[in-house]
Amino acid sequence: MVALLSVSNKSGIVEFAEGLISLGYEILSTGGTLKTLEQNGIQALDVSQYTQSPEMFDGRVKTLHPKVHGGILYRRNNSEDVAIAKHFGIADISLVCVNLYPFKATIERTDDFNTIIENIDIGGPSMVRAAAKNFTSVLIVTNPNDYTKVLENLQSNKNTLEFRQSMMIKAFEHTAGYDCMIANYMNQRFNGGFGGAHFISGKLVAPTRYGENPHQKGAYYEFENFYSNIFKTLKGEISFNNLTDINSAVKIASSFGDAPCVSIIKHGNPCGFALKSNALESYKEALKCDNISAFGGVVAVNAPVDIALAQEINKIFIEVLVAPQILPEALKEFENKKKIKIFTCGGKTLKFPKDTQDFKHIEGGFVLQDSDCVEISEIKNAQCVSQRQATEAQMQDLEIAYKIAALVKSNCVVYVKNSAMVAVGMGMTSRVDATKAAIKKAQDMGLDLKGCVLASEAFFPFKDSIEEAHKVGVSAVIEPGGSIRDDEVIECANANGIALYFSGKRHFLH
């Protein structure tokens, strides 16, 4: 029995080789892997000796040889194949352990294109695909995390067809993900990220009990390692809907640097937000916006959760709590709350991936775009188009309202007063309806909007929203501008003593 070992990631390869030798395998190896094995006293045959063909072109060609690929690919149940292999001295390579050149690590550390090109593996994917294709006879191993399981199965005579089939699927996933990464990188470098094809590749983290509804299957995947390494479950089982709500909650709560803000989400939209001097005060103020919708919602805290905050959260039913840390005494406070789910991501503040591209599924395909984000310059450099200018405090509230509005379903408006959201209208078919709906909800909650500020993620097409805002005492407004009726909107703001700012950038979220 011959096992071919050729890996870029040397983790665990020595122990794996020792295990294979103890099972009677001869080791065939190449380059750096061979050197690592020999340095650790493991006897292995150099592929070049076996093929009687030296490595060529600085290692670009070393395993691309009939004695390697023939040994992997020949059909053991085909008498003609067996005879050809015997005639040409082609060994039966029944196990192939390969992982690929570190292309991702290379593009992260350098922009030198020659170095990047040299870190595109050719022989590795060829051997992986060959072994996977011939899985009825060959065991393919591509992940060091599988070494122990492979050895256990070999030792207990459980190298079954079903096991090799599962490893075959992993192998094709491995090469597919690798090729997707290269193709996307090349399109990013030469075509601005929008080439003739785009590939979305993710690794399974875990299945969810179901999707959005019980009759739908569900699972979640990750691009890198955030959900498997950084996002931690402390209590409960995460659901499909939890994940999408957490995504919205943490995006908002992590948009304000290290400020101890709190975001409350229900069904993907914010029903509370505040940025106060500490997390406890932020939570209390955020809850005031809509404590009815907050029931059963998702709370994201951009600070460690202590016992005082835990006790406050426990006063109502919150389904999900996510924070950078949950202190031990705070976690203990939640022990008797059977239904709450608790997760962490980060250190002192929330940590969240910031993907450079965003996509949405449409029937038959998907739409792809650069990810949207609010630049601080949009607020700092916003043009005051009214006679009245906002105060420093109003500008701070405008910044909060504007950042939140960019993360709320369009059409939307966000009202903020004293660093806390006091009203929000989202997902409406007209902007004035969003304005009125937000006001109505605030009034139902007994909130005083007088002196608050207002942000819209897109321009006001008519002056009606400004008129409605004036009725409840809005003092300042920020919006992109760009309507053919901007003059009417500006005139209305001036007539009602409202400070009006144009940011010049729209932030639709459909």
Side-chain angles (χ1 to χ4, degrees), residues 151-168:
L151 290 174
E152 289 174 351
N153 279 30
L154 291 173
Q155 289 162 356
S156 57
N157 295 316
K158 292 181 180 177
N159 181 20
T160 62
L161 180 64
E162 290 75 18
F163 178 61
R164 293 195 300 278
Q165 177 181 284
S166 69
M167 300 299 283
M168 170 269 289

Side-chain angles (χ1 to χ4, degrees), residues 113-127:
F113 196 60
N114 288 331
T115 301
I116 289 167
I117 286 293
E118 291 308 316
N119 277 277
I120 296 176
D121 206 327
I122 302 301
S126 300
M127 289 188 290

